[in-house]
Amino acid sequence: MAQDPNLQDYLIAPDPGNARLTRAVQGIDHTGAQTEIRVVEERPLTIFLNAQEIVTAMTIGDYPAYLALGFLRNQGMLLSGEEITGVDYDEELETVVVRTARATDYEDKMRRKTRTSGCAVGTVFGDMMEGLEGVNLPATSVRTSWLYAISAKINRTPSLYLQAGAIHGTVLCKGDKPLVYMEDVGRHNAVDKIAGWMTSEGVTAEDKILYTTGRLTSEMVIKTAMMGIPVLASRSGFTAWGVEIAQQVGLTLIGRMKGKRFVCLAGEDRLIRDADPDAVADEPRKSGRKGAA
């Protein structure tokens, strides 16, 4: 797998060969014949912040520390520049404990939690717009040649989706190169893993692009903005509130990105059209990846 040219540039790539992430299941196909397919595993992961239990998320079980860090960061429970004194994962108890130098108590905030659109544990605590007032993303230019290059490369990358389906992907990119590709049963979990990796590694956001296979909903836009990433792109479509928030915070929002086609509904003035769409191959009708819900 390391020799696969589609994995060049990735710092973290999907691992569809990891037997822990899928399970072989017997079934009957449309002809009545017995068949065996791989299906994605789901495991509970309980996240603690210091001594307080925050949430139990259903996840495929890879990168639990990144998921915990990213979830807490995207919910505003970890502050920018927070001193993290420890991240401990207990595989047997399926628990991650994130410890900080600052004493924390989010009991009131948790009582105001709101379930949002999406799959798996799509929740945000308190007011969804909390913390966005001061967000003003950099007006980072985006070359259309980058969009075409990362889309083509991501869609050819070996992944759990291509092996088993029923999963979402999120990819952190810089220019025309995808860097970190995370998958999970919920697109929110995949984004949180990216946020956790960035938090753990101290990675800057102002020159990055976030690609997701899921819909461009309000929460996806909010999470991207709170991470400081100025560009969000997807194969899938938009919600009106997602577009409105993107326009408010200065996020470049690109959807329905398949082959040579895409639609930009926010930040169009930041696009540098340096690629001729007619020179870009369209996707075959039987493309391996479809826009995810």
Side-chain angles (χ1 to χ4, degrees):
M1 194 169 184
Q3 304 302 317
D4 192 323
N6 288 309
L7 297 182
Q8 292 176 359
D9 303 320
Y10 281 108
L11 301 176
I12 298 178
D15 185 10
N18 186 340
R20 187 174 181 272
L21 303 182
T22 62
R23 181 193 311 174
V25 176
Q26 299 286 336
I28 303 296
D29 69 13
H30 61 286
T31 69
Q34 190 173 26
T35 186
E36 180 181 280
I37 65 170
R38 305 294 300 184
V39 297
V40 174
E41 291 277 10
E42 286 185 272
R43 294 180 170 85
L45 180 70
T46 301
I47 299 171
F48 283 79
L49 178 57
N50 296 312
Q52 185 177 16
E53 181 177 336
I54 302 299
V55 73
T56 297
M58 296 306 297
T59 172
I60 61 175
D62 65 343
Y63 303 106
Y66 290 153
L67 176 55
L69 283 172
F71 178 86
L72 295 171
R73 178 71 179 88
N74 282 336
Q75 300 298 342
M77 294 181 178
L78 289 179
L79 307 179
S80 178
E82 183 89 65
E83 182 182 350
I84 298 169
T85 58
V87 182
D88 300 312
Y89 171 56
D90 189 311
E91 183 175 0
E92 184 176 348
L93 296 177
E94 297 177 314
T95 297
V96 177
V97 180
V98 177
R99 295 184 172 87
T100 62
R102 174 179 61 97
T104 57
D105 181 0
Y106 287 108
E107 199 63 39
D108 289 342
K109 190 169 188 175
M110 290 172 63
R111 278 196 291 266
R112 292 183 286 124
K113 69 181 179 180
T114 303
R115 182 168 298 277
T116 64
S117 62
C119 45
V121 184
T123 58
V124 63
F125 292 95
D127 298 331
M128 289 187 66
M129 300 297 288
E130 182 180 349
L132 277 185
E133 295 83 357
V135 173
N136 188 15
L137 296 171
T140 303
S141 297
V142 184
R143 294 183 176 273
T144 57
S145 60
W146 298 348
L147 298 176
Y148 292 134
I150 62 177
S151 178
K153 185 163 187 176
I154 290 167
N155 292 326
R156 289 170 174 80
T157 297
S159 64
L160 284 172
Y161 176 89
L162 294 178
Q163 181 187 80
I167 201 165
H168 289 275
T170 300
V171 190
L172 184 71
C173 309
K174 180 177 180 180
D176 62 353
K177 294 180 173 58
L179 303 176
V180 175
Y181 188 155
M182 296 292 191
E183 293 184 287
D184 214 302
V185 288
R187 64 183 181 276
H188 306 288
N189 287 350
V191 174
D192 287 343
K193 288 177 186 177
I194 297 285
W197 179 82
M198 294 176 71
T199 299
S200 177
E201 302 301 315
V203 174
T204 58
E206 63 272 5
D207 59 347
K208 303 299 189 299
I209 298 169
L210 194 66
Y211 177 100
T212 176
T213 62
R215 301 186 306 274
L216 298 171
T217 63
S218 56
E219 189 180 9
M220 292 297 291
V221 170
I222 290 170
K223 284 191 174 189
T224 305
M226 295 296 288
M227 290 162 67
I229 297 174
V231 184
L232 176 60
S234 174
R235 290 178 60 82
S236 196
F238 313 80
T239 68
W241 196 15
V243 173
E244 182 180 332
I245 296 170
Q247 293 170 342
Q248 174 186 325
V249 300
L251 178 76
T252 300
L253 192 65
I254 299 161
R256 300 181 181 178
M257 196 166 77
K258 301 176 185 179
K260 67 180 67 177
R261 298 172 174 82
F262 67 81
V263 177
C264 182
L265 294 187
E268 197 279 338
D269 58 307
R270 301 179 201 111
L271 291 181
I272 298 175
R273 298 184 179 276
D274 65 334
D276 180 4
D278 291 337
V280 177
D282 216 341
E283 288 187 6
R285 294 183 62 183
K286 295 184 179 180
S287 175
R289 178 178 286 277
K290 298 178 182 179

